[in-house]
């Protein structure tokens, strides 16, 4: 399935992407599975997504937890804990 | 993003409804020193498509929980300097207690669930501001 | 007594100190309807020699209890009409939680210990506003 | 002893005084005793100061309770519960 991924703040700078559209294998249907899949891209990705640092996720502009389901056409965003206000 | 004029916003909300008895506001200012470093600039990044929904959700939740009349959230983005205004929250109601609670609730939720990120530039270089555990604790007080 | 300009007062306090991160304010407005009567005017009487001391004592107590930077209380007297401003309380601090508490504390104490009395003129005549038990309860929350 | 008494709001209107200077008998040295003494002036005074309605007192601009001591030269104020803000 095809999804769009957005990266923000520290994570955007680390992976050097702000947005990408990718085609996922069919067995990637949770946030955790997507994080594990992205970890395979190399050390920088693994450091971010192996669970040692807090990476928040949103699907279609709603904060979600790691068990949330991803479906085709979704906009998934990864970002550090927010620090506005 | 353009600055806001706090007096204009407060008067506009207050004068729009003669049943308002109480108006509580919060203004956040960029401090000159954070964690002992002198701050030269503070740059706010956000996730535009999500920001609007997140702020509306926070305001709706506040209106569900408390008997308030109106609310407003203005959050600046881009590069700011010390003593610039960052954020404005205004809540109006018939009585003060509900307005105080709703205003503080909105700030605590904004701090922990609205997609904004701060990057500070100091003489020691640039760094992203770390999220604070005290903000998570402040939010946790409101759990129902 | 002359009106206050909320934007001017907030900006003045905020810009006076670059270590201010949070500014919380309360504005009270004369409501058009109180206890189901339409209010034509609201007249505030006070005890001038005591007022100044009482307000200073409330601000001092707030500064003792919370880590705040500055505070301001402006209370109007004389005859006001619906949608006029009655009272302004502003509290600034490094962080929001202390500023919110101190501002609400000042309002709760002002409501129960500062020597002001309201008289309403409605189409049914004039009457003194009764003190509210909810204000006593609000104040009691802060007892140490 | 000589004291000054101020009346405010509803109480000022009821007694039709805003301020007076009086000489008290020597056995009047608490707020309660002063209230009882003023009650002897007539029905209006008795209604106000017989304890059936809440009358707050201040001595020299400080809120006090009924047991507070009054001394010569004091400024005593009587008023209803405050309703500002």
């Amino acid at each position: 399935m095809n999804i769009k991924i957005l990266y923000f703040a520290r994570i955007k700078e680390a992976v050097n992407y702000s947005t990408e559209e990718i085609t996922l294998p069919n067995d990637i249907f949770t946030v955790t599975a997507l994080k594990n899949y992205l970890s395979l891209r190399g050390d920088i990705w693994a450091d971010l997504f192996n669970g040692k640092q807090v990476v928040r996720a949103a699907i279609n502009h709603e904060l979600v937890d790691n068990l949330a389901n991803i479906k085709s056409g979704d906009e998934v965003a990864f970002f550090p804990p927010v620090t506005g206000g | 993003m353009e600055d806001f004029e706090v007096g204009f916003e407060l008067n506009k909300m207050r004068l729009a409804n003669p049943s308002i008895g109480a108006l509580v506001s919060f203004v956040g200012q960029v401090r000159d020193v954070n964690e002992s470093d002198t701050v030269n600039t503070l740059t706010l990044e956000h996730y535009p498509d999500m920001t609007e929904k997140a702020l509306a959700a926070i305001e709706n939740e506040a209106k569900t929980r408390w008997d308030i009349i109106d609310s407003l959230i203005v959050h600046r983005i881009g590069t700011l300097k010390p003593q610039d205004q960052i954020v404005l929250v205004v809540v109006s109601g018939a009585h003060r207690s509900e307005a105080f609670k709703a205003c503080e609730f909105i700030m605590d939720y904004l701090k922990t669930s609205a997609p904004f990120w701060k990057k500070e530039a100091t003489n020691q270089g640039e760094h992203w501001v770390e999220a604070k555990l005290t903000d998570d604790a402040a939010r946790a007080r409101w759990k129902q």
Side-chain angles (χ1 to χ4, degrees), chain B residues 80-97:
Chain B
L80 306 174
K81 53 186 196 316
Q83 302 221 264
D84 279 349
Q85 300 182 112
I86 310 174
V87 62
L88 171 67
V89 175
V90 190
V91 174
S92 60
H95 304 292
R96 72 187 182 287
S97 169

Side-chain angles (χ1 to χ4, degrees), chain B:
Chain B
M1 188 187 170
E2 65 195 316
D3 202 2
F4 51 83
E5 181 50 69
V6 64
F8 173 80
E9 299 296 347
L10 266 67
N11 288 334
K12 189 169 83 168
M13 187 184 295
R14 180 173 62 78
L15 294 171
N17 192 327
S19 55
I20 289 172
L23 195 75
V24 175
S25 78
F26 176 87
V27 176
Q29 170 173 262
V30 180
R31 294 193 295 153
D32 60 345
V33 173
N34 195 15
E35 289 161 13
S36 82
D37 281 346
T38 300
V39 174
N40 296 324
T41 63
L42 184 70
T43 300
L44 280 135
E45 177 177 332
H46 77 140
Y47 178 3
D49 289 338
M50 183 172 168
T51 303
E52 201 176 334
K53 288 186 196 178
L55 298 183
I58 294 168
E59 287 185 84
N60 284 337
E61 180 68 17
K63 286 186 174 106
T64 302
R65 292 192 186 203
W66 292 287
D67 184 14
I68 60 177
I69 291 173
D70 199 3
S71 65
L72 171 73
I73 304 176
V74 182
H75 200 299
R76 298 178 72 192
I77 51 167
T79 297
L80 306 174
K81 53 186 196 316
Q83 302 221 264
D84 279 349
Q85 300 182 112
I86 310 174
V87 62
L88 171 67
V89 175
V90 190
V91 174
S92 60
H95 304 292
R96 72 187 182 287
S97 169
E98 305 268 307
F100 268 113
K101 287 198 193 75
C103 188
E104 192 171 9
F105 170 88
I106 288 173
M107 273 308 301
D108 287 347
Y109 267 61
L110 188 158
K111 283 265 182 186
T112 50
S113 66
F116 296 96
W117 300 275
K118 288 189 183 120
K119 190 179 206 175
E120 280 179 356
T122 71
N123 291 339
Q124 282 70 50
E126 289 192 344
H127 63 272
W128 290 97
V129 173
E130 294 289 336
K132 290 192 289 186
L133 291 176
T134 52
D135 286 330
D136 291 332
R139 177 183 171 136
R141 294 180 304 142
W142 303 104
K143 284 273 187 261
Q144 287 183 318

Side-chain angles (χ1 to χ4, degrees), chain A residues 15 36-50:
Chain A
V15 302
N36 290 340
Y37 178 73
L38 294 172
S39 296
L40 303 176
R41 286 176 166 180
D43 286 352
I44 288 170
W45 295 83
D47 281 350
L48 281 171
F49 291 112
N50 66 1

